Amino acid sequence: MKLLIVTGMSGSGKSCVMDVMEDIGYYCIDNIPPKLISKFVDLCRKSDVGINKIAVAVDIRTGDMFAEIFHSWQLLRENEKLDVKVLFIEASDEVLIKRYKETRRRHPLDEKFNGSLHDAIRYEKMQLSQLREIADYYIETSELSSAQLKEQVKEIFLNRSSDSLSIKIMSFGFKYGVSTESDLVFDVRCLPNPYYIETLRNHTGCEECVRDYVMSFEQSQNLFNKLKDLIDYLIPLYVHEGKSQLVIAFGCTGGKHRSITFAELMARHLTENKYKVQKYHRDITKDKIF
């Protein structure tokens, strides 16, 4: 089991990091008292869900309990069945102060130091010094945008940053309504319709006979190649912007022949390129007559 402890200065970007860890498949929990980490790990290990990657955010918000973090880390490291890593996030004092003023958020130590941000940051940095020294990963966020921070985290924890993007390929029929969940919608009603071929009417684009018919036309092949080039170009851009899920929809009249054909072929293409792909044919059973 992998355990990542995310810690660092308040306002440095830990929430953004935890969002990324959740997107790439870690079970995440924020602001957990250090003494409870081992118990949480045990619960996850006994879970039927099969949790094997955990990320916990631990910082000064836990108050006096935070002092236990270094001791808790030492005990966790002694567990041979647990791969424990620490990610430390930091920014310069000037940037942290600017961020708090811009967002008008209160620092967790605001009351302790009577509203003095400088004193709160100085004290927090001292409390975190031990963790900073033993951190396995370190990111300084002073000059990073949220998208750049996300990209750095992905580069650390993924073999390919695109692994964080889940792609859902779906088909639908326009006569049942346009897909509202989709990021990209492509209308393939411009192609010859197998519905008017009696031997194909009761089949779907999941079957080879329908796919062969749809793709036997030059315009179908040209359209698919152009869409494939467009999607291949767009995916890295979505990944760079930190998008965690992309829904691509193909629509035809009834959602059973042309749209499914294109969805199946595009899903196959993206799977061959090692993307995480899900398929969903929304209207395949509507008005079923076979």
Side-chain angles (χ1 to χ4, degrees):
M1 178 178 283
K2 293 183 179 180
L3 170 65
L4 177 69
I5 299 173
V6 180
T7 190
M9 298 295 292
S10 301
S12 60
K14 294 188 297 299
S15 296
C16 182
V17 171
M18 292 296 283
D19 288 342
V20 178
M21 299 312 297
E22 187 170 14
D23 288 342
I24 63 178
Y26 279 71
Y27 190 98
C28 298
I29 185 167
D30 189 23
N31 196 21
I32 184 173
K35 280 187 175 181
L36 295 182
I37 297 177
S38 60
K39 294 181 179 179
F40 179 65
V41 169
D42 289 338
L43 286 173
C44 290
R45 183 173 282 126
K46 295 173 183 176
S47 169
D48 296 331
V49 181
I51 300 171
N52 54 20
K53 294 190 294 184
I54 305 168
V56 297
V58 185
D59 53 46
I60 205 70
R61 287 174 295 169
T62 56
D64 294 339
M65 292 183 287
F66 182 73
E68 294 288 331
I69 182 59
F70 191 75
H71 180 62
S72 297
W73 169 80
Q74 290 176 314
L75 293 177
L76 290 164
R77 294 272 291 196
E78 294 174 2
N79 188 335
E80 295 180 357
K81 296 181 180 180
L82 194 61
D83 179 16
V84 184
K85 302 292 184 185
V86 176
L87 169 61
F88 194 92
I89 312 296
E90 191 173 35
S92 69
D93 293 3
E94 293 76 14
V95 169
L96 293 175
I97 291 170
K98 181 181 178 182
R99 288 175 182 172
Y100 272 103
K101 288 183 176 179
E102 287 178 347
T103 60
R104 297 185 179 181
R105 290 178 56 206
R106 294 178 60 191
H107 192 281
L109 300 175
D110 184 75
E111 290 187 8
K112 183 180 180 68
F113 291 96
N114 298 316
S116 172
L117 267 175
H118 290 87
D119 291 342
I121 290 171
R122 189 181 304 112
Y123 177 83
E124 184 179 18
K125 189 173 291 187
M126 181 178 65
Q127 293 297 305
L128 290 168
S129 59
Q130 273 189 308
L131 280 178
R132 191 181 189 282
E133 292 299 319
I134 55 93
D136 300 280
Y137 311 106
Y138 172 84
I139 300 178
E140 217 285 351
T141 68
S142 297
E143 305 298 327
L144 298 181
S145 65
S146 294
Q148 290 170 328
L149 173 56
K150 290 179 179 180
E151 193 65 25
Q152 282 207 17
V153 175
K154 292 172 189 175
E155 288 175 358
I156 293 173
F157 295 100
L158 293 174
N159 293 326
R160 295 196 322 164
S161 59
S162 59
D163 291 343
S164 66
L165 180 67
S166 174
I167 303 174
K168 182 178 180 180
I169 306 290
M170 67 175 294
S171 66
F172 70 95
F174 277 96
K175 73 176 186 176
Y176 302 112
V178 179
S179 168
T180 57
E181 66 174 300
S182 303
D183 301 292
L184 301 171
V185 177
F186 299 106
D187 184 352
V188 294
R189 289 176 293 182
C190 56
L191 304 176
N193 192 349
Y195 178 84
Y196 297 109
I197 307 299
E198 189 174 350
T199 57
L200 299 176
R201 183 174 300 168
N202 295 335
H203 296 273
T204 74
C206 291
E207 299 170 81
E208 191 173 346
C209 59
V210 172
R211 289 200 301 269
D212 287 347
Y213 175 82
V214 173
M215 300 309 294
S216 67
F217 298 93
E218 184 178 357
Q219 60 263 43
S220 300
Q221 297 174 23
N222 289 339
L223 177 59
F224 180 75
N225 288 331
K226 290 180 183 296
L227 292 178
K228 183 171 63 175
D229 289 343
L230 174 63
I231 290 170
D232 285 345
Y233 175 76
L234 288 174
I235 287 176
L237 301 182
Y238 284 119
V239 171
H240 181 70
E241 286 302 308
K243 192 171 181 61
S244 59
Q245 184 181 54
L246 178 66
V247 182
I248 304 171
F250 296 92
C252 64
T253 304
K256 295 178 179 64
H257 299 107
R258 295 164 291 179
S259 60
I260 291 181
T261 293
F262 268 60
E264 288 284 330
L265 293 175
M266 190 59 69
R268 180 192 301 172
H269 167 69
L270 295 177
T271 300
E272 288 173 351
N273 282 277
K274 310 302 181 185
Y275 291 107
K276 294 191 298 184
V277 179
Q278 297 175 299
K279 289 187 297 184
Y280 172 51
H281 301 308
R282 191 190 73 180
D283 301 323
I284 192 172
T285 60
K286 300 280 180 64
D287 297 336
K288 194 170 183 180
I289 58 174
F290 53 90

